[in-house]
Amino acid sequence: MLEVDDLTVAYGGVVALNGVSLQVPEASITTVLGANGAGKTTLVRAISGLVAARGGSVRVDGTALTGMAPERIARLGVAHVPEGHGVISELSTEENLRLGCLWLGGANDRRAATEEAYELFPPLAARRRLPAANLSGGERQMLSIARALAARPRVLLLDEPSLGLAAVILAQIMQRLRELARSRNLAVLLIEQNARSALSVADEAVVLSLGSVVARDRAERLARDESLRHAYLGF
Amino acid sequence: MRTFLILTVDGVTSGFIYAMVALALVMIWRATRVINYAQGAMAMFTTYVALFAIQHRVTYWLAFVIALGAGFVFGAGVERLLVRPIEGRAPLNMVILTLGLLILLEAVAPMLFGGDVKSFPAPFSRIDITAGATQLYVSPFDIFVIAAALLVMLLLLVFFQRTTIGLRMRAAAFRPEIARLLGIRVGRMLTLGWGLAAVLGALAGVLIAPGIFLYPNNMDEALVFGFTGAILGGLDSPVGAVTGAIVVGLVLSYVGGYLGSDLETVGGLVMLIAVLMVRPQGLFAFHRQRQA
Amino acid sequence: MRNPLLRHATVCVALAVVLVLLTYVFDAFTDYKIAGVAIFFIAAAGLTVLTGVNGQLSLGHGALMAIGAYTTSLLLKEQPQLPMILPLLAAIVSTGVAGAVIGVAAARLRGPYLAGATLALAVGLPQVAVHYGSVFGGNQGLPVPVPTPPSALGGDFPNERWLAWIAIAAALITLFLLANLVSGATGARLRAVADDEAAASLAGINVARIQVLAFVVSAACAGLAGSLFAYWVGLTAPSGFGLSVSLQLLSAIVIGGLGSLSGAVLGSFLVVMAPFTISDLAGNLNLSSDVANNLPLALYGVVLIVTMLAFPRGIQGALFSLWRLAKRNLRRPQAPTVSTTA
Ligand SMILES: Nc1ncnc2c1ncn2[C@@H]1O[C@H](COP(=O)(O)OP(=O)(O)OP(=O)(O)O)[C@@H](O)[C@H]1O
Ligand SMILES: [Mg+2]
């Protein structure tokens, strides 16, 4: 369970996130929607400790993350797929995956975690030894998600995973994500520009605008709210 | 032919020493985007430490290990105490910082150990081997130098390519922020990298000293030629750095042998400029594929 | 004074008057040191334009000074009676040309690649003089006659004071020209290239040409300084232009405050004067020669490191912050000190 309470972040004088609160229960997906510059990336970066919050708190299963370094937060089970995928292109596919499961108990667990990743995303299996630089954009996006999942996280933060993915692949990945959230008891926070596909998989949805929450509801209800769609989601 | 063989062996031997300096520079450059101009001076210092130990009845091999250990502590300490606080500032700040360290070390060494030229022992004979009646132009010590350098390079290769901690270090060097998101303590990896680089430097210092003697700026040339080699190869490529440094060793040896020893550094300069004019980022520079 | 040209001229003339008067106050040895500061400043000011303003790092300015010094010494070897202005001008021209050649090469290089190439230059070039000893005098070097003051100044006018005057004149002319260059349109271009090459290029600036220009200007200054340095030392030898000269120049501009000419003045003063002072001090302390000889260098290394850790904008920046702090505290004596530091 991820709990964000009254989170405020500012870059110098610019307030990018203004008292945002939200909860992502286990085995569920919450999507955060909003226009460019709404503060979505800032939200996930604050959760994973990459930017310091000015106020408010973040908790994972009751543990307060406030003030912790990102590497500690990561080891507590928060996996973050950053905007623009964050695959390390100088390393091979396999090495990227191995980096995902650095903190799993034994060598066998780690091997199992990488093998699972290949099962989840078969195209990656054929590219184990290839430098990630040589993967296609979609493959890199898959690798990034697979790497995050290999950590066996409790909380998964996805910042615009749809970027550069073909609609078919996207639909597949979203479907998998839904299954995984259920089967692994994951709390997923899904940042999306592509509101339609995000709303189709999410349980809950939150709309951000200029750093504040302007709407929150069950995803399917929010998807039906015409005025909201026109005002913030553009479809 | 005889001259050529002698010069070749000389060139390869010193090339391997420059290669260790080059590799140390490249390791730090890849991780921190800093050229450690004090790399040579640090190695000079640890060599003095080894000599100090030897003068106090420590065996050569223990002194050898002490030098490498001191190198690790030294390198890690420099990263923690000097480099870390100014991380992220303009690159010139880092340049001046390491140059300041270079100047400081070369001034402090004679204060502590005396400024005179000292001889440093070699663990093996430096007289060329003869097989029957034929001279081989290579001494047991030359073989030791090359073998030690090759062994260390092999160990480093295995360390970086095959171990998890090596993988973590590479991740931290290539994409520090991503590495942190994966739970890697990037700061520690940098400290470790500086420590390992200084071990390489310390090894170079101990291996070069029997041939060129030990004095406060005895590593200046090794730094310049190691740096030249690293630039020739391309600062981001360890293989390139080693290759470049060995080429530098050979070219300097031939220039010195055939054209006059005064011209060695000029030869290095000419070669460097010639290569950089054709390939401004070194011979082994690669453009990151599919990424800007 | 709005007009920068006029302002710079006034400052330079005022400085000239003060400095010339000072040379009368001090003894000959102090005049000699003043000359040293002025000479060093000329090279440091040139390096300020290249590294501080234009962002190109040179670790090889000592080699450029060597070109100026050898030009002068070779001319004087052939024509010992040459009036001083000619060797000085010849040094400026020859080093300027060398600067253009190096600058063209350097314009292709970035970051450590440029640093490495200039470093190789600093180490390699002096060796040419060793190898071609019959021309350049080898390790012994070439002697340079002491410039003698014109008889109109009186029979007992010290040579050191005369050299100080020449050096001061050269330094102030350099300061005047560079101050105008840096504060004008060219200065803006130099800075634009340093800040962001791509943006500068988009704004219509010919990046390579500006970089070569910076190298030529900077080299010409180094040449002038090298020429005067030859007179100052009385000898031009490879050992006088080792890597340490290049590093001292770089240190001077950084310690003073990178990118500003007044910073170069401050830095030059410290770098030239400190060794004298520290040697005197060390001499009084009865230290062993190994310690005494190296104390100035050690301190100098410490100063560089501390400057980078604590005052990255040099003494000038530190003084400026201090001044602002003082002003604020004077204006609002009751202001809570804790909140203002945030
Ligand atoms: N490092 C930074 N420094 C200053 N301002 C920043 C920084 N990062 C983001 N901002 C500002 O904060 C606001 C929110 O940015 P953020 O990246 O969180 O938006 P976003 O919702 O992720 O947008 P997008 O959909 O384009 O990714 C924007 O106004 C942005 O300009
Ligand atoms: Mg974003």
Side-chain angles (χ1 to χ4, degrees), chain B residues 68 109 159 174 201 241 266 272 279:
Chain B
L68 302 198
F159 175 76
F174 291 133
V266 186
L272 181 66
R279 294 189 58 103

Side-chain angles (χ1 to χ4, degrees), chain A residues 11-12 14-17 34-43 45 51 83 159-160 191 193 208:
Chain A
Y11 300 104
V14 185
V15 176
L17 218 55
N36 292 119
K40 307 180 297 293
T41 298
T42 303
L43 172 64
R45 286 173 66 85
V51 297
E83 197 168 24
D159 196 349
E160 298 197 33
I191 306 289
Q193 292 257 342
L208 271 189

Side-chain angles (χ1 to χ4, degrees), chain B residues 37 89 92 115 235 265 277, chain C residues 108 113 115 127 258 290 308:
Chain B
Y37 292 98
R89 296 228 191 108
L92 191 59
L235 280 167
T265 52
M277 285 309 96
Chain C
R108 289 169 55 84
Y113 293 90
Q127 289 301 311
L258 191 65
D290 272 335
M308 283 305 101

Side-chain angles (χ1 to χ4, degrees), chain B:
Chain B
M1 191 59 200
R2 186 169 169 272
T3 322
F4 180 77
L5 282 177
I6 293 174
L7 293 177
T8 306
V9 171
D10 268 7
V12 171
T13 314
S14 41
F16 268 104
I17 292 178
Y18 302 152
M20 284 184 282
V21 176
L23 211 49
L25 293 174
V26 165
M27 272 174 69
I28 289 180
W29 168 256
R30 293 220 307 182
T32 347
R33 296 281 127 182
V34 176
I35 295 298
N36 181 12
Y37 292 98
Q39 196 80 62
M42 288 163 66
M44 168 276 293
F45 214 86
T46 51
T47 312
Y48 269 111
V49 170
L51 186 66
F52 181 81
I54 290 170
Q55 283 165 346
H56 288 76
R57 292 157 185 269
V58 170
T59 63
Y60 175 87
W61 293 109
L62 184 56
F64 186 91
V65 174
I66 289 175
L68 302 198
F72 185 84
V73 175
F74 202 176
V78 166
E79 196 278 328
R80 266 287 143 102
L81 300 176
L82 301 181
V83 174
R84 183 79 56 92
I86 67 168
E87 217 184 339
R89 296 228 191 108
L92 191 59
N93 285 21
M94 217 59 107
V95 173
I96 302 296
L97 182 91
T98 61
L99 286 175
L101 184 60
L102 159 76
I103 293 169
L104 177 64
L105 291 176
E106 292 192 348
V108 170
M111 291 186 187
L112 291 180
F113 306 106
D116 53 326
V117 175
K118 293 177 164 47
S119 63
F120 190 87
F124 298 101
S125 164
R126 300 188 54 234
I127 297 167
D128 289 350
I129 301 169
T130 46
T134 47
Q135 274 244 294
L136 289 181
Y137 311 119
V138 60
S139 73
F141 183 65
D142 290 338
I143 296 174
F144 171 64
V145 169
I146 295 172
L150 282 174
L151 179 70
V152 166
M153 286 168 197
L154 190 74
L155 285 177
L156 274 180
L157 187 73
V158 171
F159 175 76
F160 278 110
Q161 297 295 330
R162 292 273 174 269
T163 70
T164 311
I165 187 131
L167 177 64
R168 278 195 250 164
M169 286 179 73
R170 281 187 292 152
F174 291 133
R175 297 287 295 273
E177 186 170 275
I178 302 299
R180 300 187 77 188
L181 286 180
L182 297 169
I184 295 165
R185 290 187 185 150
V186 172
R188 283 197 190 178
M189 296 301 120
L190 296 186
T191 309
L192 184 58
W194 275 72
L196 287 179
V199 170
L200 265 176
L203 181 62
V206 173
L207 293 181
I208 204 174
I212 66 164
F213 299 108
L214 181 56
Y215 49 95
N217 57 348
N218 78 328
M219 289 297 287
D220 281 5
E221 290 205 334
L223 177 83
V224 172
F225 298 146
F227 189 22
T228 306
I231 289 180
L232 276 183
L235 280 167
D236 280 294
S237 157
V239 177
V242 170
T243 318
I246 292 172
V247 170
V248 169
L250 278 170
V251 168
L252 293 184
S253 181
Y254 294 142
V255 170
Y258 291 121
L259 304 179
S261 62
D262 311 324
L263 286 183
E264 277 191 11
T265 52
V266 186
L269 171 66
V270 170
M271 174 177 55
L272 181 66
I273 302 295
V275 170
L276 285 184
M277 285 309 96
V278 184
R279 294 189 58 103
Q281 306 232 293
L283 292 170
F284 287 67
F286 55 91
H287 291 279
R288 291 188 178 175
Q289 286 132 324
R290 289 204 175 190
Q291 276 201 328

Side-chain angles (χ1 to χ4, degrees), chain A residues 199 222-235:
Chain A
L199 286 172
L222 206 132
R224 287 196 302 266
D225 186 332
E226 199 132 335
S227 60
L228 202 67
R229 261 172 33 196
H230 284 308
Y232 296 108
L233 307 180
F235 75 96

